Short mmCIF file of all heavy atoms in Angstrom, two decimals:
data_model
loop_
_atom_site.label_atom_id
_atom_site.label_comp_id
_atom_site.label_asym_id
_atom_site.label_seq_id
_atom_site.Cartn_x
_atom_site.Cartn_y
_atom_site.Cartn_z
N ALA A 1234 8.32 0.16 -2.66
CA ALA A 1234 8.24 0.82 -3.97
C ALA A 1234 8.12 2.33 -3.81
O ALA A 1234 7.31 2.82 -3.03
CB ALA A 1234 7.05 0.29 -4.74
N LYS A 1235 8.92 3.06 -4.56
CA LYS A 1235 8.90 4.52 -4.49
C LYS A 1235 7.95 5.11 -5.53
O LYS A 1235 7.34 6.14 -5.30
CB LYS A 1235 10.31 5.07 -4.69
CG LYS A 1235 11.28 4.72 -3.56
CD LYS A 1235 12.63 5.33 -3.81
CE LYS A 1235 13.58 5.10 -2.64
NZ LYS A 1235 13.83 3.68 -2.35
N THR A 1236 7.87 4.47 -6.69
CA THR A 1236 6.98 4.94 -7.76
C THR A 1236 6.28 3.76 -8.39
O THR A 1236 6.67 2.60 -8.19
CB THR A 1236 7.77 5.70 -8.85
OG1 THR A 1236 8.72 4.80 -9.44
CG2 THR A 1236 8.47 6.90 -8.28
N GLY A 1237 5.26 4.05 -9.17
CA GLY A 1237 4.56 2.97 -9.86
C GLY A 1237 3.30 3.49 -10.54
O GLY A 1237 2.89 4.63 -10.35
N THR A 1238 2.71 2.63 -11.35
CA THR A 1238 1.47 2.96 -12.04
C THR A 1238 0.51 1.78 -11.94
O THR A 1238 0.91 0.64 -11.70
CB THR A 1238 1.70 3.28 -13.53
OG1 THR A 1238 2.33 2.15 -14.16
CG2 THR A 1238 2.58 4.50 -13.71
N LEU A 1284 2.37 -1.79 -11.75
CA LEU A 1284 3.72 -1.80 -12.30
C LEU A 1284 4.58 -0.91 -11.43
O LEU A 1284 4.32 0.29 -11.32
CB LEU A 1284 3.72 -1.28 -13.74
CG LEU A 1284 2.78 -1.99 -14.71
CD1 LEU A 1284 2.75 -1.26 -16.04
CD2 LEU A 1284 3.21 -3.45 -14.90
N LEU A 1285 5.60 -1.49 -10.81
CA LEU A 1285 6.43 -0.74 -9.87
C LEU A 1285 7.78 -0.39 -10.45
O LEU A 1285 8.43 -1.21 -11.11
CB LEU A 1285 6.62 -1.55 -8.58
CG LEU A 1285 5.34 -1.88 -7.82
CD1 LEU A 1285 5.67 -2.75 -6.62
CD2 LEU A 1285 4.62 -0.61 -7.39
N ASP A 1286 8.19 0.85 -10.22
CA ASP A 1286 9.53 1.32 -10.57
C ASP A 1286 9.90 0.98 -12.01
O ASP A 1286 9.21 1.34 -12.94
CB ASP A 1286 10.55 0.77 -9.57
CG ASP A 1286 10.23 1.17 -8.15
OD1 ASP A 1286 9.73 2.30 -7.95
OD2 ASP A 1286 10.45 0.38 -7.23
N GLU A 1287 10.98 0.22 -12.21
CA GLU A 1287 11.50 -0.05 -13.56
C GLU A 1287 10.58 -0.95 -14.37
O GLU A 1287 10.63 -0.94 -15.60
CB GLU A 1287 12.89 -0.69 -13.47
CG GLU A 1287 13.96 0.27 -12.98
CD GLU A 1287 14.03 1.53 -13.82
OE1 GLU A 1287 14.07 1.42 -15.07
OE2 GLU A 1287 14.05 2.63 -13.24
N ALA A 1288 9.71 -1.72 -13.73
CA ALA A 1288 8.78 -2.58 -14.47
C ALA A 1288 7.85 -1.73 -15.33
O ALA A 1288 7.37 -2.18 -16.38
CB ALA A 1288 7.97 -3.43 -13.51
N ASP A 1289 7.61 -0.50 -14.90
CA ASP A 1289 6.76 0.42 -15.66
C ASP A 1289 7.44 0.81 -16.96
O ASP A 1289 6.80 1.02 -17.99
CB ASP A 1289 6.47 1.65 -14.81
CG ASP A 1289 5.50 2.61 -15.48
OD1 ASP A 1289 4.90 2.22 -16.49
OD2 ASP A 1289 5.35 3.73 -15.00
N LYS A 1290 8.76 0.89 -16.97
CA LYS A 1290 9.51 1.37 -18.12
C LYS A 1290 9.97 0.23 -19.03
O LYS A 1290 10.08 0.42 -20.24
CB LYS A 1290 10.73 2.16 -17.65
CG LYS A 1290 10.38 3.36 -16.78
CD LYS A 1290 11.65 4.02 -16.26
CE LYS A 1290 11.33 5.18 -15.33
NZ LYS A 1290 12.55 5.79 -14.76
N GLU A 1291 10.25 -0.92 -18.46
CA GLU A 1291 10.89 -1.99 -19.23
C GLU A 1291 10.03 -3.23 -19.44
O GLU A 1291 10.44 -4.14 -20.14
CB GLU A 1291 12.19 -2.39 -18.52
CG GLU A 1291 13.17 -1.24 -18.37
CD GLU A 1291 14.41 -1.64 -17.58
OE1 GLU A 1291 14.47 -2.80 -17.14
OE2 GLU A 1291 15.30 -0.79 -17.41
N GLY A 1292 8.84 -3.27 -18.84
CA GLY A 1292 8.02 -4.46 -18.93
C GLY A 1292 7.24 -4.57 -20.22
O GLY A 1292 7.23 -3.68 -21.07
N GLU A 1293 6.55 -5.71 -20.37
CA GLU A 1293 5.69 -5.95 -21.52
C GLU A 1293 4.39 -6.58 -21.04
O GLU A 1293 4.34 -7.17 -19.96
CB GLU A 1293 6.35 -6.90 -22.52
CG GLU A 1293 7.57 -6.33 -23.22
CD GLU A 1293 8.14 -7.32 -24.23
OE1 GLU A 1293 8.23 -8.52 -23.90
OE2 GLU A 1293 8.47 -6.89 -25.34
N THR A 1308 5.02 -1.90 -21.92
CA THR A 1308 4.19 -1.08 -21.04
C THR A 1308 4.52 0.41 -21.19
O THR A 1308 3.67 1.26 -20.96
CB THR A 1308 4.36 -1.49 -19.57
OG1 THR A 1308 5.75 -1.44 -19.21
CG2 THR A 1308 3.84 -2.90 -19.35
N ALA A 1309 5.74 0.71 -21.61
CA ALA A 1309 6.12 2.11 -21.80
C ALA A 1309 5.36 2.75 -22.95
O ALA A 1309 5.25 3.98 -23.02
CB ALA A 1309 7.62 2.21 -22.06
N LEU A 1338 4.52 -9.24 -18.30
CA LEU A 1338 5.78 -9.99 -18.33
C LEU A 1338 6.90 -9.22 -17.63
O LEU A 1338 6.89 -8.01 -17.61
CB LEU A 1338 6.19 -10.29 -19.77
CG LEU A 1338 5.16 -11.04 -20.62
CD1 LEU A 1338 5.66 -11.19 -22.05
CD2 LEU A 1338 4.86 -12.40 -20.01
#
Side-chain angles (χ1 to χ4, degrees):
K1235 294 181 175 60
T1236 61
T1238 58
L1284 305 173
L1285 299 176
D1286 302 325
E1287 291 305 311
D1289 184 12
K1290 301 175 183 177
E1291 301 176 359
E1293 293 182 317
T1308 55
L1338 303 177

